[in-house]
Amino acid sequence: MRFRDRTIIITGASLGVGRATAELFHREGANVVMVARRLEPLEQAAAALGDGDRTLTIAADVADNEALAHLVRATVERFGGIGGLVNNAGAHFRGPVATREPDELSLMVDVNLRAPIALSSMVLPHLRASGGFIVNVASLAGKVPLDGAATYSATKFGLRAFSYAMAEELRGTNVSVSVVSPGPIDTGFIMDELDEVEDIVLSQEICSAEDVAQMILACASDQRVEREFPVSGAKLATLAYLVPGLRRWLKPRLVAKGAAQKARLRRDRGGG
């Protein structure tokens, strides 16, 4: 029970990675503050945990700074402090920049990058008081430019840079900052939009929401700055970033591999 009586805020907690992370920290004895836009699915997820004394659900738009400030106040009022933050909420409007509206692109920046920065700043005094952690959920798309998802990729690059820089700012203090960078995850974020997902994304091994939650818990425990999955995909992404010519040469092969994986997933789900 490594996190007994610690209070952990988790954004995007009604499903997928956020819900799995809330379940994991709850099993570790933590108080979990579950945040998402819609209250009903949040309450359903919290009810499944049991022990309502250790859960708090807050419906909030993380793109709204006033909502974030309310979230921090409500957490401290209920539990007396904050011991950790998991910035997991994400938004992705798929397709090339030319196919998306400016408001959609701006929303991705707000949810994926600006909100984690703002919320990290707001909770930092409380984390300093308690000795806590921040774990940001990025992506392998934050390690190599992903055409077809340029804005999403940019936000994840930014989130990784923010995480590394903030970890350096806080080195030697009682607060750690980490980032997890998974490839495709078997959640609705990918699977409900399978036809729109870029084929190259599915060239990487798919992990589960529980796998990513374990990565988050591990970073919170040992303060490692970054964990990635799959490790081979992370190394390939870094190499492709450093050698753009190699990325262009590999792309047709990776796209073909991802297209084959997409076809298998469709068949497995009865989609033809």
Side-chain angles (χ1 to χ4, degrees):
M1 305 287 279
R2 287 166 287 184
F3 293 93
R4 181 184 292 278
D5 298 328
R6 306 287 284 171
T7 297
I8 316 300
I9 297 174
I10 304 162
T11 66
S14 59
L15 11 109
V17 169
R19 180 168 179 169
T21 302
E23 291 171 351
L24 197 54
F25 275 106
H26 193 269
R27 288 202 299 271
E28 290 283 338
N31 306 316
V32 291
V33 181
M34 303 173 68
V35 185
R37 285 176 300 170
R38 295 174 53 230
L39 185 60
E40 184 177 353
L42 265 180
E43 290 180 336
Q44 291 172 352
L49 298 181
D51 193 355
D53 289 342
R54 290 198 289 119
T55 60
L56 174 64
T57 56
I58 298 179
D61 178 359
V62 297
D64 181 344
N65 278 355
E66 289 187 7
L68 295 181
H70 167 73
L71 157 65
V72 173
R73 288 194 301 270
T75 298
V76 173
E77 288 171 6
R78 171 69 180 274
F79 294 115
I82 299 171
L85 168 65
V86 179
N87 282 308
N88 167 71
H92 193 356
F93 296 98
R94 302 183 188 279
V97 171
T99 68
R100 306 309 318 192
E101 293 297 323
D103 285 349
E104 295 172 325
L105 304 177
S106 296
L107 182 61
M108 279 192 277
V109 175
D110 284 344
V111 173
N112 298 348
L113 182 56
R114 190 183 61 76
I117 292 173
L119 187 52
S120 295
S121 172
M122 291 178 189
V123 303
L124 188 55
H126 302 282
L127 298 181
R128 287 186 182 276
S130 64
F133 67 85
I134 297 170
V135 180
N136 295 316
V137 180
S139 167
L140 291 188
K143 295 180 72 71
V144 62
L146 185 60
D147 49 303
T151 303
Y152 180 80
S153 183
T155 63
K156 297 303 184 178
F157 262 87
L159 188 58
R160 288 186 67 248
F162 173 73
S163 301
Y164 270 87
M166 195 174 180
E168 285 301 311
E169 290 179 0
L170 295 171
R171 184 175 298 279
T173 73
N174 63 348
V175 180
S176 67
V177 180
S178 306
V179 58
V180 298
S181 298
I185 309 170
D186 188 0
T187 67
F189 198 71
I190 291 279
M191 299 307 166
D192 289 352
E193 301 179 357
L194 191 58
D195 289 341
E196 287 75 42
V197 173
E198 300 81 9
D199 288 344
I200 197 169
V201 170
L202 295 168
S203 67
Q204 300 302 309
E205 183 180 351
I206 297 175
C207 62
S208 69
E210 290 72 22
D211 291 332
V212 182
Q214 289 286 353
M215 293 164 63
I216 292 168
L217 181 70
C219 285
S221 299
D222 66 13
Q223 303 182 4
R224 180 168 158 180
V225 177
E226 185 170 21
R227 279 183 163 83
E228 306 147 316
F229 184 91
V231 173
S232 60
K235 291 179 178 177
L236 180 62
T238 299
L239 184 60
Y241 171 71
L242 294 173
V243 187
L246 176 63
R247 177 168 63 91
R248 287 189 287 270
W249 181 78
L250 284 173
K251 183 179 177 180
R253 295 160 177 80
L254 294 174
V255 168
K257 180 180 178 182
Q261 169 81 310
K262 183 183 288 187
R264 284 194 295 272
L265 290 170
R266 284 200 197 98
R267 288 196 299 272
D268 292 345
R269 286 160 172 75

